Amino acid sequence: MKVLVTGGAGYVGSVVAAQLVAAGHEVVVLDDLSTGHRDAVPPGCTFVEGDVRDRAAEVLADGVAAVLHFAAKSIVPESVAHPELYWGGNVGVSLALLEAMRSTGVRRIVFSSTAAVYGEPERVPIREDAPVRPTNPYGATKAAIDAALTEHARMHGIGAVSLRYFNVAGAQDGRGERHATETHLVPLVLQVALGGRESVSLFGTDYPTPDGTCVRDYIHVADLAEAHLLALDHCVPGRHRIYNLGNGAGFSVRQVVEVCRAVTGHPIPVVPADRRPGDPAALVASGERARAELGWRPRRSELATIIADAWAFHSGGPRAEAAAARPAGGR
Ligand code: UFG
C-alpha cells in the first residue's frame, strides 16, 4: 500500500517509516525539517520537503491510500511558554491535512496522539475512557485533534485511529532522539553520562509519589512503531478508535536515573529543582485495549532495555552508522 508519513524525518515518524518500508509498503515522507533530520528519513522512502499545509494534497492525490500523521510540535514546556505555536502547528496543520484527505478521497489515518491529553488522572493505570483534561497546551492541542478526528469519522466517513503515547524512549537501527533543544528526561540523563552536562535536574521532589519525583510509563520506540502498522489495519470507515500505548509500569525520575547509572556505569549526579509547569504527577497506561483489539505485544518493555538502546544510539555506534547510510530518494 502507498502511505504518506507526515513528520517522517522526526524521531517516532522515522522509526515507523523504516518499519513500513520493511513491511513492503511504498512510503512517502513529508517533513519541513523544522525539527526533523534529512538523514533520519529511511532509505527506500520518497522524501518531500515542505509544510503539510502546502504539499499534502498533491502528495495524497498521487495514489496514497492511508496517512500516518506525526508532523507536530511536541515539547510540553515550549507549549506552556508559546501556546500559539502549538495551536497553529498542531491543530491548524492537522485540520489542513484532514481537508486535503477529504478533497482527495483518502480515508484512512493513524494519528500520533499523547497521554498528555489526560492531564492529572483520577486513576492509574489510565484507560482510554478516562476524562480528557490536559494540563498543558501541548495536550490540549492533541485532544482537539482527537475530537476533530471523531467528527471527521462521523461526518465524512474516514477511518481513524489515535495512538496515545506515554513516554517514548530508546532507538532502532540508528534512529533515536535528536532534538536541537533537548527537554526529555532520558536523553538529558544520558548527556550527563557522555560528559555533555554536569548533572540532571529533578523537576519536583515533592510530588505525591513514592519518592517525590514524577512517575511515567516508558515505552520502547520500536514497540510503539509496531502498533502503528497494526493500527493501519484497524482504520474502519466511519470509526475513530483510540488506544493508549504504554507498558503499564510506572518509573519515577529517580528510578530512571538509577537505571541509566547501571547501564552507563557513570555516577550521574542529580540536583533537586522546582517543579516544571504543566507536569502531572503520574502517567501510567492501561494497554489492555491495544493488546485486545490490535493484538499489540510490546517486546522490549524492560526499562533497562529501553535505556540500553538509547545509550547505544547516543554514545555513537548505530547513530554513526545511520549518518553513513545511503540517503533516501528526494523530489
Ligand atoms: N524531568 C526532570 N528533569 C529533566 C527533564 C525531565 O526531572 O531534566 C522530568 C519531568 O519533569 C517529567 C519526567 O522527567 O516528570 C519526564 O519528562 P519528559 O520531558 O521526558 O516527558 P514528559 O512526561 O513531559 O512528556 C512526554 C512526552 C509527551 C507525552 C508525555 C506522556 O514528551 O508528548 O510524555 O507521558 F505526552
Side-chain angles (χ1 to χ4, degrees):
M1 170 169 37
K2 184 168 180 179
V3 297
L4 167 62
V5 178
T6 74
Y11 173 42
V12 178
S14 66
V15 174
V16 173
Q19 290 192 6
L20 287 163
V21 170
H25 294 289
E26 188 182 343
V27 180
V28 183
V29 166
L30 172 57
D31 197 303
D32 65 3
L33 300 182
S34 55
T35 53
H37 305 272
R38 179 69 178 80
D39 65 11
V41 178
C45 297
T46 300
F47 178 62
V48 179
E49 182 175 348
D51 190 306
V52 168
R53 288 167 286 207
D54 303 328
R55 307 291 300 271
E58 120 204 17
V59 174
L60 291 173
D62 194 15
V64 167
V67 179
L68 297 105
H69 179 37
F70 301 93
K73 300 185 76 63
S74 64
I75 308 291
V76 171
E78 182 187 52
S79 80
V80 174
H82 302 287
E84 68 288 350
L85 296 180
Y86 281 67
W87 287 98
N90 292 356
V91 179
V93 163
S94 299
L95 293 179
L97 176 64
L98 285 168
E99 187 49 40
M101 287 175 63
R102 217 148 67 85
S103 68
T104 54
V106 176
R107 292 159 79 87
R108 295 162 72 178
I109 180 167
V110 176
F111 174 57
S112 168
S113 187
T114 171
V117 301
Y118 297 115
E120 198 71 65
E122 280 163 14
R123 272 185 232 152
V124 286
I126 304 170
R127 292 179 7 163
E128 290 82 353
D129 55 5
V132 167
R133 283 188 304 226
T135 54
N136 54 62
Y138 168 63
T141 61
K142 291 282 182 168
I145 300 161
D146 279 344
L149 288 170
T150 302
E151 293 302 321
H152 276 70
R154 189 173 64 86
M155 295 299 294
H156 306 303
I158 67 162
V161 171
S162 290
L163 299 176
R164 290 182 174 163
Y165 309 165
F166 283 65
N167 286 59
V168 190
Q172 185 174 43
D173 296 335
R175 294 186 180 79
E177 270 184 282
R178 274 199 276 166
H179 299 115
T181 308
E182 192 51 76
T183 62
H184 290 118
L185 180 65
V186 171
L188 284 175
V189 175
L190 296 178
Q191 280 178 17
V192 178
L194 282 170
R197 315 178 153 253
E198 286 190 359
S199 61
V200 178
S201 300
L202 303 176
F203 292 149
T205 52
D206 60 349
Y207 282 98
T209 59
D211 68 17
T213 63
C214 287
V215 168
R216 295 288 184 271
D217 184 340
Y218 292 87
I219 172 135
H220 198 295
V221 69
D223 285 337
L224 185 90
E226 284 171 15
H228 292 73
L229 276 72
L230 297 168
L232 256 189
D233 297 329
H234 285 75
C235 295
V236 176
R239 193 180 80 165
H240 177 213
R241 202 72 180 133
I242 294 172
Y243 300 97
N244 289 342
L245 298 181
N247 281 311
F251 292 89
S252 71
V253 175
R254 286 188 195 277
Q255 286 176 311
V256 170
V257 172
E258 204 47 62
V259 174
C260 290
R261 288 177 179 141
V263 167
T264 64
H266 188 283
I268 310 181
V270 294
V271 178
D274 289 344
R275 289 185 178 194
R276 196 173 65 176
D279 274 349
L283 289 173
V284 178
S286 163
E288 272 173 42
R289 183 186 283 180
R291 285 169 180 270
E293 295 185 14
L294 300 179
W296 181 58
R297 299 282 177 273
R299 290 180 290 154
R300 308 157 187 90
S301 54
E302 294 295 318
L303 185 57
T305 307
I306 298 172
I307 304 277
D309 286 357
W311 177 239
F313 172 75
H314 287 287
S315 59
R319 186 173 175 172
E321 283 166 30
R326 181 169 55 87
R331 80 177 191 197

